[in-house]
Amino acid sequence: MSAAEAVGVFRRARGRTLDAFLSEKEREWKGPFYFIQGADPQFGLMKAWSTGDSDSGGDEWGQEIRLTEQAVEAINKLKPKPKFFVLCGDLIHAMPGTPWRKEQTADLQRVLARVDRDIPLVLVSGNHDVGNTPTPETVAEFQQTWGDDYFSFWVGGVLFLVLNSQFWYDASQCPALKQAQDQWLDQQLSVAGRRHCQHAVVFQHIPLFLRSIDEDDDYFNLTKSVRKEVANKLTRAGVTAVFSGHYHRNAGGTYQNLDMVVSSAIGCQLGQDTHGLRVVVVTAEKIIHRYYSLDELSEKGIEADLMGLMEEK
């Protein structure tokens, strides 16, 4: 893939928005639609996890290539087409500055380039993409490879916000970048209130929480003080759903009117779930979602009850 082709397919988030959707045309509600959420293709983790060397053992990723190819094929067959396909972080396993990062990136880009061009890719940064402790350099690398690390876009009257959750995990090496995202987010949430959007939805990698706002701190959630601050800010602005990955298992819970949705991985599973994708239907009144195994989505497509929600009433 040439550099120009990579920009056209992947670096669509620039200037803190997504060039696939023109906000002037997308700010009004136009009826129900759906999108596909995936997380953690994480090329290299399955080999690393199987050997017990998750830090440096990811020197093979053929299984992840096949699984992501299956995901792309399943998405491309769906009718009607989803509005977009969002990947909620950990695109590859190799951390910044470690072996196989370039090779994993090239292979993932090759597979994702097969997504139907009428289904825009929305790419979210995870800890393996910018580092557990991101720096200005690792964030710049992500932006050069995949596009902006945080941005917003409108689809059919719904405001979508893509956030870099690593700034809430550990911004000790890039405090100015965290401050910039915080200020930008406040501005976007203010816009959401003024514009009276149908819904406001957040995508990020690390969940606010796995099941409860008061659960103990864990590797797989944000610390209690941070999660409560962020959750309160989002709920006050009318955000009704946050979609994430990172956990490699399905989970989730609610806080006030906020639905925290944690989707398992396309790649390595750390629990009993299957490699899969989440179908998310947006209606005027609510957001309904269901996790499908890759086999289910490939063989049967979306179930009739979800399809029925997209019919104009």
Side-chain angles (χ1 to χ4, degrees), residues 119-226:
I119 305 172
L121 282 168
V122 179
L123 301 170
V124 182
S125 63
N127 58 304
H128 282 261
D129 305 311
V130 297
N132 286 321
T133 303
T135 67
E137 292 75 21
T138 62
V139 172
E141 181 200 344
F142 179 88
Q143 293 172 335
Q144 182 63 31
T145 305
W146 301 108
D148 283 352
D149 58 318
Y150 62 91
F151 55 96
S152 66
F153 61 99
W154 290 80
V155 176
V158 178
L159 177 62
F160 293 96
L161 302 169
V162 173
L163 303 179
N164 184 341
S165 55
Q166 288 311 119
F167 293 152
W168 291 324
Y169 181 83
D170 183 359
S172 60
Q173 298 300 309
C174 57
L177 295 184
K178 176 188 182 297
Q179 183 181 27
Q181 178 178 260
D182 287 345
Q183 292 174 345
W184 173 90
L185 178 58
D186 288 343
Q187 178 191 37
Q188 293 295 310
L189 294 176
S190 176
V191 168
R194 293 198 312 271
R195 295 282 183 171
H196 303 293
C197 53
Q198 196 74 25
H199 301 282
V201 176
V202 165
F203 299 123
Q204 61 189 56
H205 180 61
I206 302 178
L208 298 174
F209 55 88
L210 298 175
R211 292 180 177 83
S212 168
I213 193 75
D214 292 312
E215 69 195 20
D216 292 339
D217 295 349
D218 186 273
Y219 171 78
F220 291 108
N221 60 21
L222 294 176
T223 60
K224 193 176 296 185
S225 61
V226 171

Side-chain angles (χ1 to χ4, degrees), residues 1 28 37 47 60 96 131 134 137 161 186 200 294:
M1 181 187 301
E28 299 299 323
Q37 185 223 1
K47 168 68 181 298
E60 297 176 11
E137 292 75 21
L161 302 169
D186 288 343
L294 295 181

Side-chain angles (χ1 to χ4, degrees), residues 62-74:
Q63 293 179 88
E64 287 95 337
I65 288 175
R66 290 188 289 275
L67 289 164
T68 309
E69 287 175 338
Q70 185 181 3
V72 169
E73 290 168 3

Side-chain angles (χ1 to χ4, degrees), residues 220-295:
F220 291 108
N221 60 21
L222 294 176
T223 60
K224 193 176 296 185
S225 61
V226 171
R227 86 176 71 122
K228 287 190 173 181
E229 177 185 354
V230 174
N232 286 327
K233 178 183 292 190
L234 298 180
T235 55
R236 283 196 302 268
V239 174
T240 53
V242 175
F243 290 87
S244 70
H246 190 52
Y247 192 42
H248 293 256
R249 286 153 284 204
N250 287 310
T254 57
Y255 173 67
Q256 297 182 17
N257 293 322
L258 184 71
D259 188 12
M260 180 66 247
V261 184
V262 185
S263 291
S264 197
I266 292 172
C268 186
Q269 301 298 311
L270 302 185
Q272 301 304 310
D273 294 298
T274 55
H275 311 281
L277 296 164
R278 191 172 295 276
V279 175
V280 185
V281 178
V282 182
T283 73
E285 295 79 23
K286 55 188 177 179
I287 297 173
I288 306 97
H289 51 86
R290 188 172 300 163
Y291 187 83
Y292 286 82
S293 74
L294 295 181
D295 288 341

